[in-house]
């Protein structure tokens, strides 16, 4: 059976771009094989972070994924630090990863330039990501376009491991969504929607109350024209058309045709209504999960058990292939 794996950073509450570009694809991919989704808290410490917020952010992210439709009966959702094999496996894979290839990672360059102190974890981040994927022998890895290079590296690491130590890993394929999945900031439509780099008014959080969602969308920057169309100089309107298309399932062309004789005011009102309805059930379920931790902890505990079974077995195979002879406990 095919294996699906993806990881998501515990940056707390997620935004509409994360939902459209990533989370809804995780939900769809649950049934494309045995699926594992991991909140990658070990990756989060590669940049300066607040220890007191780490755990709550991890729970927020897990709750958002569940609220958006990950179903514990159809997938395994777990926390990376709960399965020690990830850190161990990353060390083993570090022996076949090279400084040269890690040096070429654009995400490392982006995240490290201009900082006076850069952690060693930020540099080896992609090796831990390769361990995440390979411990589950994943075939399919749903990720955003920005992860293309990390996935290529994971494949190279797998290939090198296989040729040096014997065939163990299938080569993982990145499943990258179409370009319409890139959601732009509502206030600065030339930039991606982002909690860290975007504008607060231009970023719709999955858990924003309905009136906040509606206000942000109604005050989205458009242009001085009046045509509801995509195209040159119409990034703001184009972004709203793509968002409406995802929210209603209608093709962008059909939306353009439907608003031929209408103005921006009507159009933005309809986008606001559609996004409010898209997010409403997610927000409600999120608040429910966060109100009482018992259910969420239980789901993550069962996730940890299933993930450990698979990851520990692969780790044992890796150790064995590499020449270690770890005696069984108590044996
Ligand atoms: P992040 O929380 O930034 O690590 O992103 C988590 C996932 O959401 C990644 O797969 C990203 O590619 C995706 N993502 C982040 N921002 C956007 C955006 N504005 N539009 C579409 N996808 C996004
Ligand atoms: N680096 C990914 C991101 O920033 C998160 C991630 C960690 C991941 N491990 C992974 C994604 C394994 C896919 C597979 O989005």
């Amino acid at each position: 059976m095919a294996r699906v794996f993806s990881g998501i950073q515990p940056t707390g509450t997620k935004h509409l771009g994360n939902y459209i570009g990533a989370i809804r694809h995780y939900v769809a991919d649950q049934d494309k094989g045995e699926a594992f989704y991991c909140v990658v808290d070990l990756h989060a410490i590669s940049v300066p972070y607040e220890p007191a917020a780490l755990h709550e952010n991890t729970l927020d992210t897990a709750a958002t994924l569940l609220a958006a439709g990950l179903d514990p009966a159809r997938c395994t959702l777990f926390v990376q630090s709960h399965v020690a094999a990830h850190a161990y496996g990353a060390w083993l894979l570090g022996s076949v990863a090279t400084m040269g290839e890690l040096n070429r990672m654009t995400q490392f360059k982006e995240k490290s330039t201009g900082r006076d102190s850069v952690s060693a974890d930020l540099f080896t981040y992609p090796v831990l990501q390769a361990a995440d994927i390979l411990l589950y022998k994943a075939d399919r890895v749903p990720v955003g376009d920005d992860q293309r290079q990390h996935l290529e590296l994971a494949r190279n690491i797998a290939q090198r491991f296989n040729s040096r130590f014997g065939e163990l890993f299938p080569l993982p394929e990145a499943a990258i969504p179409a370009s319409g999945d890139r959601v732009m900031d509502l206030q600065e439509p030339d930039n991606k929607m982002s909690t860290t780099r975007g504008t607060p008014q231009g970023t719709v959080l999955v858990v924003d109350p309905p009136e906040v969602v509606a206000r942000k969308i109604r005050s989205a920057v458009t242009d001085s024209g009046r045509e509801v169309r995509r195209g040159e100089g119409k990034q703001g309107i184009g972004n709203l058309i793509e968002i409406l298309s995802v929210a209603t399932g209608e093709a962008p062309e059909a939306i353009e045709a439907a608003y031929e004789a209408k103005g921006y005011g009507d159009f933005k009102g309809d986008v606001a209504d559609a996004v409010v309805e898209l997010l409403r059930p997610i927000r409600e379920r999120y608040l429910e999960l966060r109100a009482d931790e018992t259910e969420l902890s239980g789901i993550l505990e069962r996730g940890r058990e299933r993930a450990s079974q698979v990851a520990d077995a692969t780790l044992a195979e890796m150790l064995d292939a590499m020449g270690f002879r770890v005696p069984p406990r108590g044996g």
Side-chain angles (χ1 to χ4, degrees):
M1 177 149 84
R3 286 260 175 81
V4 175
F5 185 98
S6 196
I8 189 161
Q9 298 250 16
T11 39
T13 55
K14 297 289 167 181
H15 56 73
L16 185 63
N18 297 133
Y19 177 74
I20 291 179
I23 299 171
R24 75 187 170 113
H25 299 290
Y26 302 165
V27 174
D29 278 4
Q30 288 180 104
D31 304 313
K32 297 224 165 85
E34 184 178 6
F36 295 85
Y37 296 107
C38 178
V39 183
V40 293
D41 54 351
L42 294 173
H43 278 110
I45 67 168
S46 61
V47 291
Y49 77 103
E50 196 46 65
L54 183 62
H55 180 61
E56 288 303 308
N57 286 342
T58 300
L59 294 181
D60 281 346
T61 298
T64 306
L65 293 171
L66 291 166
L70 286 193
D71 174 1
R74 285 146 71 210
C75 74
T76 298
L77 174 67
F78 71 104
V79 177
Q80 191 183 31
S81 62
H82 295 181
V83 180
H86 288 245
Y88 197 162
W91 179 258
L92 299 181
L93 293 178
S95 71
V96 294
T98 69
M99 293 289 287
E101 62 193 352
L102 291 175
N103 253 322
R104 287 194 291 275
M105 294 295 115
T106 55
Q107 185 173 298
F108 175 73
K109 288 180 205 163
E110 276 165 27
K111 289 193 180 175
S112 60
T113 41
R115 297 210 184 240
D116 28 82
S117 172
V118 174
S119 74
D121 279 352
L122 190 64
F123 188 67
T124 54
Y125 178 116
V127 181
L128 178 58
Q129 181 163 350
D132 295 342
I133 297 166
L134 299 180
L135 283 169
Y136 299 86
K137 301 190 180 175
D139 312 283
R140 181 184 173 89
V141 185
V143 281
D145 186 56
D146 57 337
Q147 294 300 311
R148 201 181 283 276
Q149 199 186 26
H150 285 166
L151 260 290
E152 202 48 50
L153 179 67
R155 284 172 69 91
N156 290 338
I157 289 177
Q159 220 151 19
R160 218 171 294 139
F161 186 100
N162 288 347
S163 65
R164 175 119 193 257
F165 302 115
E167 283 297 314
L168 182 58
F169 301 121
L171 301 186
E173 296 271 359
I176 295 172
S179 57
D181 277 23
R182 212 170 128 95
V183 179
M184 310 310 281
D185 188 290
L186 299 174
Q187 291 297 318
E188 293 174 356
D190 289 327
N191 301 326
K192 264 194 0 175
M193 185 176 285
S194 159
T195 345
T196 45
R197 276 175 257 187
T199 66
Q201 279 314 307
T203 306
V204 174
L205 299 180
V206 170
V207 297
D208 271 341
E211 60 281 7
V212 174
V213 174
R215 176 165 45 73
K216 287 179 178 173
I217 290 182
R218 281 174 202 277
S219 51
V221 165
T222 50
D223 55 69
S224 56
R226 20 190 340 188
E227 298 195 318
V228 178
R229 299 212 150 270
R230 295 161 298 165
E232 194 63 34
K234 299 187 72 76
Q235 284 85 341
I237 284 290
N239 188 37
L240 293 176
I241 292 174
E242 301 284 359
I243 291 172
L244 185 59
S245 169
V246 170
T248 60
E250 268 189 75
E253 294 73 21
I255 293 171
E256 290 172 341
Y259 287 91
E260 188 106 54
K262 295 186 192 162
Y264 286 174
D266 285 345
F267 172 64
K268 287 207 247 181
D270 290 350
V271 179
D273 291 347
V275 176
V276 164
E277 289 321 313
L278 176 74
L279 298 182
R280 188 190 300 280
I282 302 179
R283 173 169 195 266
E284 283 169 4
R285 178 72 178 126
Y286 171 87
L287 293 174
E288 214 174 272
L289 281 162
R290 290 305 272 131
D292 167 18
E293 232 155 77
T294 338
E295 187 183 357
L296 185 55
S297 316
I299 291 169
L300 294 176
E301 183 48 37
R302 286 189 294 282
R304 170 200 198 152
E305 276 163 28
R306 174 62 190 145
S308 300
Q309 269 175 1
V310 176
D312 291 350
T314 307
L315 182 69
E317 290 181 301
M318 289 169 72
L319 286 165
D320 195 56
M322 293 176 79
F324 295 96
R325 294 293 172 262
V326 183
R329 220 181 275 254

